[in-house]
Amino acid sequence: MRTAPFRALVGRSFARTAAVFAVVAWILAGFQVLLVLVARSFVETRSFDVLSSLMPMNLQQSLGPGALVLASFPGLVTFGYFHPIVVLAVLQTGAFIATEPAGEIEWGLFDLELSRPLARHWIVTRSLLLALGLSSALVAAMALGTWLGLVGFAPAGATWPAAANVASLAAHLVFLAWTFAALGLAVATFVRRRGTAFALVGMAVVVLYLLNFLSDVWAPARRIRWLSPFHYFPGFAVANGTAPTFHDLSILAIPTLVLSALAYWRFARRDL
């Protein structure tokens, strides 16, 4: 295959999503800087000592054994990597990028794309590379925001988050985002409207997140929580360095590979 048509395809798709990506990346990076500022104010007012003593035992139990990690400077600085809203923003951005094939079917663009010397599977490859790459770039922007915040605003003498723990948090978030990006791509190869594909992935995110949340407090849900990708991103445990990182990332990689393969198989056979 000549690379020029594929590069043009990738460039056009990136141009469509660049504005959305840039806005989300700036927000997430800025949020990480703000977390450093908040943590600094807590250090200066000695609020972490108060938080440790006032956190109810039932809240500690519901959040897990690592809940007290938030009552420390490094713990609060890294909270953004597993804050539900931040996680949702990263997942939904990746899924939105991945559902582009459904949009192209809806808009009738495939006749133009396939008129070039371009095999069908390159269209799937285009969306997969962009979704995985830009999801990773969002998390990299968060990591950059964390570093800039620490360099610029960390109080003197404060303990910084361990680099290994930050890297583990970032890796978990990236692999989780890849899972739902691959799901978005697979769904997009079955439906004819981008809005439908994105809505289905959004519902899957909510259902699987609630399943993981309920499994902490409800025994019946605990039996099937292994089905939720969120189960393999135990934020507090990752933040304090006690999570089985290799095991979790290995499990998260499986649905990404399976769903990506499903997308290639389906798109090669569907009637456009």
Side-chain angles (χ1 to χ4, degrees):
M1 185 201 76
R2 289 180 295 177
T3 60
F6 181 69
R7 290 200 306 269
L9 190 66
V10 172
R12 191 188 66 184
S13 296
F14 178 75
R16 288 176 183 167
T17 59
V20 174
F21 166 77
V23 170
V24 177
W26 276 105
I27 291 174
L28 295 180
F31 181 65
Q32 291 304 118
V33 175
L34 288 176
L35 278 180
V36 176
L37 289 170
V38 172
R40 173 177 176 165
S41 70
F42 277 33
V43 170
E44 292 173 346
T45 59
R46 304 184 64 86
S47 297
F48 284 123
D49 296 336
V50 177
L51 282 176
S52 300
S53 61
L54 292 182
M55 186 174 291
M57 184 58 65
N58 60 344
L59 179 60
Q60 294 183 33
Q61 292 174 346
S62 65
L63 293 177
L68 285 177
V69 72
L70 291 182
S72 67
F73 179 81
L76 187 54
V77 166
T78 57
F79 181 46
Y81 291 90
F82 54 100
H83 189 287
I85 301 301
V86 173
V87 172
L88 180 63
V90 175
L91 300 190
Q92 296 289 54
T93 303
F96 174 75
I97 295 169
T99 55
E100 186 179 14
E104 291 174 325
I105 294 173
E106 180 181 1
W107 305 324
L109 295 177
F110 273 124
D111 289 340
L112 293 175
E113 291 176 343
L114 296 179
S115 65
R116 298 183 176 189
L118 197 69
R120 281 193 180 192
H121 66 84
W122 288 110
I123 295 174
V124 178
T125 300
R126 175 274 320 266
S127 294
L128 183 63
L129 289 177
L130 279 176
L132 301 188
L134 293 182
S135 297
S136 303
L138 286 178
V139 181
M142 292 178 62
L144 178 61
T146 302
W147 182 77
L148 290 175
L150 289 170
V151 170
F153 304 109
T159 301
W160 287 22
N165 291 351
V166 175
S168 182
L169 283 165
H172 277 80
L173 184 52
V174 166
F175 274 59
L176 187 66
W178 285 1
T179 297
F180 286 99
L183 175 62
L185 181 60
V187 172
T189 62
F190 282 87
V191 302
R192 303 190 69 86
R193 293 183 181 276
R194 190 174 196 175
T196 301
F198 188 63
L200 290 172
V201 177
M203 287 188 290
V205 170
V206 172
V207 170
L208 292 170
Y209 180 84
L210 290 177
L211 170 62
N212 185 61
F213 176 79
L214 288 174
S215 67
D216 291 329
V217 295
W218 191 38
R222 200 170 300 136
R223 298 169 187 164
I224 58 172
R225 66 181 173 185
W226 60 272
L227 294 172
S228 173
F230 293 97
H231 174 57
Y232 305 99
F233 185 8
F236 292 109
V238 179
N240 63 21
T242 61
T245 298
F246 180 79
H247 171 267
D248 290 341
L249 297 183
S250 298
I251 296 298
L252 287 173
I254 294 173
T256 302
L257 295 173
V258 171
L259 291 167
S260 298
L262 175 62
Y264 278 104
W265 175 84
R266 171 61 182 167
F267 196 73
R269 288 159 177 77
R270 76 174 296 175
D271 182 10
L272 301 177

